[in-house]
Amino acid sequence: MRRPASAARAAEAPWGEQRRPRQAGARSRDEIGWVKAHGGAGASTLTELLGGIDVGARWPEPARGEPRRIVLVGRTSAQGLTSVSQALGALNDGKAPQGLELVAVVLVADTPGRLPLSLLRRIRIIRSAAHVHRVPWIPAWRVGGRPRALPRQLSTLAHLLGTDLRSEESSS
């Protein structure tokens, strides 16, 4: 059975990514809201490590008690960077609730090694619109494990967000 067009639009985020059901409101409007630009971006993993609220592929609504400070998360693949660009465009075009503060865009490596020049150019463009923080490839995450040591980039991100990295014991 086909859904009506209006129901189909309501099921999509403003930049075309499928929405997931709304979660309960944040514990504090000042917590970080992790917004994924696309599926598999890494927002859930970063929420586990750094705290905050994983709001999925939608803008949080500060008027409803959800976080006003957001981090947009995407992968460094061509599709991931396109999704990040679309989300930034939607945010800049006023297609997000009033009062949101974009703290950073976090780009999580989609594969080990250097990025091709074409992707680096796209990141440079995104960097012209927002503060960009890159997280390197972490092999253990691919198989659902935990790395023995976290890269310094995650400590730097924690400092930027004003949070602490959660210890491996407390997040297990």
Side-chain angles (χ1 to χ4, degrees), residues 35 39 42 50 56 67 83 93 170:
V35 177
L50 298 166
S83 295
D93 290 343
S170 67

Side-chain angles (χ1 to χ4, degrees), residues 1-12 18-19:
M1 177 177 191
R2 281 182 64 117
R3 290 188 300 175
S6 60
R9 275 193 303 276
E12 290 184 7
Q18 287 292 107
R19 289 183 191 236

Side-chain angles (χ1 to χ4, degrees), residues 97-111:
Q98 290 290 326
L100 290 181
E101 174 192 342
L102 178 65
V103 177
V105 171
V106 174
L107 298 176
V108 180
D110 66 316
T111 187

Side-chain angles (χ1 to χ4, degrees), residues 29 60-67 97-98:
R29 285 175 19 108
E61 297 180 35
R64 297 178 131 190
E66 294 180 327
Q98 290 290 326

Side-chain angles (χ1 to χ4, degrees), residues 30-31 41 58 64 79 82 84 92-93 130 166:
D30 292 325
E31 279 189 276
R58 67 175 180 85
R64 297 178 131 190
Q79 181 61 44
T82 297
V84 167
N92 290 334
D93 290 343
R166 295 184 174 178

Side-chain angles (χ1 to χ4, degrees), residues 49-81:
L49 284 170
L50 298 166
I53 304 295
D54 179 357
V55 295
R58 67 175 180 85
W59 302 120
E61 297 180 35
R64 297 178 131 190
E66 294 180 327
R68 64 179 179 75
R69 298 175 62 223
I70 60 170
V71 175
L72 180 62
V73 184
R75 292 282 178 170
T76 57
S77 65
Q79 181 61 44
L81 296 175

Side-chain angles (χ1 to χ4, degrees), residues 120-137:
L120 289 171
R121 285 184 182 131
R122 292 172 79 171
I123 291 171
R124 191 174 312 133
I125 293 168
I126 292 169
R127 191 172 270 139
S128 72
H131 176 80
V132 173
H133 187 88
R134 291 183 51 196
V135 174
W137 175 255

